[in-house]
């Protein structure tokens, strides 16, 4: 998904004295993805220096960096999630390791030292507790299709890194007996790839499962060996934080901000036209499938099998897993877009619906009163009623 940004325009005159509406636009990176912002900010003409004129977009970038570093990233030792994961590992007799790419040897050496039934309790901050409780509710409601306890599995597959290494490329040889999901880089590209074995996948799955986690009295209690991965909800949570900031700044009259595949729209454009949010084409790189027209505040999230993937022997290995099998989900869908009134929910539901497939996915969206657009690999489209009024296809279907 990409926010359609009106190009070129610098200043909208609001018509009242010296107050004008400035457009601030910024494309930058945070949380491992591209952040694209367009803000409309009212200010008195000539009152601000050029640096001050970009201060709102800069504040949003700071909010995202703080969210990642202090709360969500499993790669950062003193983020809330990093702290939970590290405590579990230490209690399980493992050394916390934040450089997981393609390796997890300590675990194998130490396996068996602490039985998985051992439970570890970690106290968490009230906001984090609230956040995790809401995430757990979506896991419940989706029958476990969205499950942030898949950390061991996602690191075992390592598909996010592999997709970057191969630039979403094709790999000739699949080494099914490989030690871990890692590519071997030779020259400019990756020559072969070692996907995890069925045995390794089962071992990782044995460390996963939201049902084995307890949230009570400000504590999270999880089994030894489990690792959290909030990748499926992080960008949506980011949109909620951006929204809170936008609401606190009366001079901002309208905004559209995309954090990777999660977008928030807010307020109005100076010319009163609706926000346009383009949906990426799942099979034509750089192309668009269609566009959403939205008035006011909405949260939009797209999950697809085309963002981070590796093709091997004609099979698409992508980064959304079916917790029931431990393999990339093949539900017949290639893209799911959710529109609702919460960033966290939009992101969580887009992942859950992707795993569930068209019928159950549509039903889950309806439980939450969310609008959904589900695209099948063979070109079929499914939409909720409300989505029909927002969405217009303009590309070819897959
Ligand atoms: P994106 O990161 O492209 O926005 P998603 O929101 O669908 O895509 O999240 C995918 C990420 O979530 C993966 O990179 C992985 O870390 C994690 N993940 C994969 N499958 C699941 C799942 N079934 N439930 C929860 N998290 C998942
Ligand atoms: Mg998601």
């Amino acid at each position: 998904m990409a926010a359609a940004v009106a190009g070129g325009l610098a200043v909208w005159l609001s018509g009242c004295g010296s107050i004008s509406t400035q457009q601030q636009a910024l494309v930058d990176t945070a949380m491992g993805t591209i952040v694209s912002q367009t803000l409309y900010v009212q200010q008195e003409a000539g009152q601000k220096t050029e640096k001050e004129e970009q201060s709102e977009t800069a504040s949003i970038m700071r909010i995202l960096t703080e969210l990642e570093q202090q709360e969500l990233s499993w790669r950062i030792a003193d983020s809330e999630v990093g702290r939970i994961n590290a405590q579990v590992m230490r209690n399980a007799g493992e050394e916390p390791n934040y450089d997981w790419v393609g390796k997890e040897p300590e675990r194998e050496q130490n396996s068996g030292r602490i039985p998985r039934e051992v439970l570890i309790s970690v106290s968490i901050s009230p906001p984090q507790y609230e956040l995790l409780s809401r995430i757990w509710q979506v896991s419940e409601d989706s029958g476990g299709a969205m499950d942030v306890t898949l950390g061991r599995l996602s690191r075992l597959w390592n598909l996010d890194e592999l997709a970057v290494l191969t630039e979403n490329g094709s790999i000739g040889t699949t080494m099914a007996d490989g030690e871990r999901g890692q590519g071997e880089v030779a020259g400019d590209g990756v020559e072969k790839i070692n996907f995890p074995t069925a045995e390794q996948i089962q071992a990782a799955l044995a460390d996963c499962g939201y049902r084995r986690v307890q949230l009570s009295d400000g504590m999270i209690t999880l089994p030894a060996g489990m690792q959290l991965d909030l990748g499926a909800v992080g960008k949506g949570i980011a949109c909620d934080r951006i929204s809170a900031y936008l609401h606190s700044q009366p001079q901002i009259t309208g905004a559209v901000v995309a954090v990777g595949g999660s977008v928030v729209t807010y307020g109005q454009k100076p010319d009163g036209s609706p926000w346009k949010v383009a949906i990426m084409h799942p099979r034509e790189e750089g192309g668009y499938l269609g566009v959403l027209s939205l008035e006011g505040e909405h949260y939009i999230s797209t999950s697809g099998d085309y963002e981070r993937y590796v093709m091997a022997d004609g099979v698409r290995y992508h980064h959304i897993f079916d917790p029931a099998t431990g393999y990339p989900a093949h539900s017949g869908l290639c893209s799911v877009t959710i529109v609702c009134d919460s960033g966290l929910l939009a992101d969580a539901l887009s992942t859950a619906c992707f795993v569930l497939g068209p019928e159950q996915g549509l039903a889950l969206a309806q439980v939450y009163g969310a609008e959904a657009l589900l695209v099948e690999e063979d070109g079929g489209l499914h939409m909720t009623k409300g989505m029909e009024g927002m969405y217009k296809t303009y590309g070819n279907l897959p």
Side-chain angles (χ1 to χ4, degrees):
M1 165 141 356
V5 176
L9 185 63
V11 180
W12 294 79
L13 289 175
S14 68
C16 75
S18 59
I19 303 273
S20 66
T21 304
Q22 300 276 340
Q23 179 185 285
Q24 286 187 23
L26 181 71
V27 178
D28 204 340
T29 54
M31 303 181 78
T33 194
I34 294 171
V35 178
S36 155
Q37 310 186 38
T38 302
L39 310 184
Y40 295 100
V41 186
Q42 282 194 339
Q43 62 188 54
E44 278 187 47
Q47 289 280 300
K48 284 190 168 183
T49 65
E50 201 177 312
K51 191 157 179 237
E52 284 166 345
E53 278 171 8
Q54 288 299 323
S55 65
E56 285 86 357
T57 48
S59 296
I60 288 177
M61 292 313 297
R62 264 198 306 280
I63 288 167
L64 299 184
T65 305
E66 277 177 24
L67 174 64
E68 181 178 32
Q69 293 184 348
Q70 296 173 10
E71 296 183 52
L72 301 185
S73 179
W74 57 263
R75 296 168 197 272
I76 295 170
D78 36 324
S79 75
E80 292 243 19
V81 167
R83 210 167 48 79
I84 296 168
N85 283 350
Q87 203 149 324
V88 171
M89 292 183 75
R90 272 193 216 98
N91 281 277
E94 298 174 41
E95 255 326 287
N97 173 7
Y98 301 97
D99 176 26
W100 286 76
V101 181
K103 51 180 152 146
E104 208 176 343
E106 294 88 348
R107 169 119 213 287
E108 267 138 43
Q109 283 161 18
N110 292 326
S111 67
R113 269 171 65 174
I114 304 281
R116 291 197 175 99
E117 293 71 40
V118 171
L119 297 175
I120 292 138
S121 292
V122 184
S123 69
I124 46 181
S125 68
Q128 200 73 12
Y129 185 85
E130 152 85 22
L131 204 58
L132 291 177
S133 303
R134 292 174 65 202
I135 294 168
W136 253 253
Q137 188 62 49
V138 180
S139 294
E140 290 279 355
D141 294 335
S142 66
M146 197 286 305
D147 185 340
V148 298
T149 70
L150 293 185
R152 291 284 188 191
L153 186 76
S154 56
R155 261 149 270 173
L156 176 70
W157 278 98
N158 196 26
L159 277 164
D160 285 332
E161 317 274 346
L162 278 179
V164 173
L165 268 180
T166 61
E167 294 172 11
N168 284 339
S170 293
I171 302 293
T173 331
T174 312
M175 306 294 286
D177 59 345
E179 285 164 9
R180 282 189 47 86
Q182 56 185 308
E184 283 183 20
V185 186
D188 290 340
V190 177
E191 291 244 308
K192 68 171 185 179
I193 199 158
N194 297 334
F195 285 126
T197 62
E199 217 175 30
Q200 290 174 310
I201 290 167
Q202 288 315 311
L205 272 183
D207 284 329
C208 304
Y210 74 99
R211 286 194 186 85
R212 300 163 66 210
V213 175
Q214 248 199 14
L215 285 161
S216 56
D217 301 330
M219 311 271 280
I220 183 169
T221 302
L222 7 67
M226 185 175 277
Q227 295 284 283
L228 302 182
D229 170 358
L230 268 59
V233 288
K235 294 165 199 150
I237 295 169
C239 288
D240 289 331
R241 300 295 168 87
I242 292 167
S243 169
Y245 170 76
L246 295 171
H247 279 274
S248 75
Q249 304 292 311
Q251 78 282 14
I252 302 178
T253 53
V256 55
V257 183
V259 185
S262 291
V263 182
V264 52
T265 63
Y266 170 84
Q268 271 203 323
K269 277 200 232 174
D271 66 0
S273 64
W275 300 112
K276 300 279 186 196
V277 177
I279 297 176
M280 301 282 269
H281 199 288
R283 293 293 178 264
E284 289 169 16
E285 212 182 318
Y288 295 123
L289 183 70
V291 67
L292 297 169
S293 294
L294 301 161
E295 306 268 0
E297 185 168 339
H298 295 277
Y299 300 83
I300 307 103
S301 202
T302 298
S303 286
D305 65 5
Y306 54 91
E307 296 237 13
R308 303 257 165 99
Y309 69 96
V310 177
M311 293 296 288
D313 300 336
V315 177
R316 182 180 288 258
Y317 292 88
H318 61 85
H319 73 156
I320 304 172
F321 303 105
D322 183 347
T325 64
Y327 286 81
H330 286 289
S331 62
L333 296 173
C334 56
S335 167
V336 174
T337 298
I338 299 286
V339 179
C340 68
D341 58 5
S342 145
L344 167 65
L345 274 183
D347 202 357
L349 290 175
S350 68
T351 304
C353 294
F354 186 96
V355 173
L356 288 172
E359 287 81 24
Q360 290 184 58
L362 214 50
L364 178 66
Q366 280 159 348
V367 165
Y368 278 88
E371 304 303 340
L373 170 77
L374 301 101
V375 186
E376 286 182 297
E377 280 181 286
D378 63 9
L381 269 188
H382 303 261
M383 277 184 250
T384 52
K385 260 264 157 285
M387 181 62 85
E388 285 170 20
M390 302 170 175
Y391 174 74
K392 195 161 178 295
T393 300
Y394 72 72
N396 296 319
L397 288 168

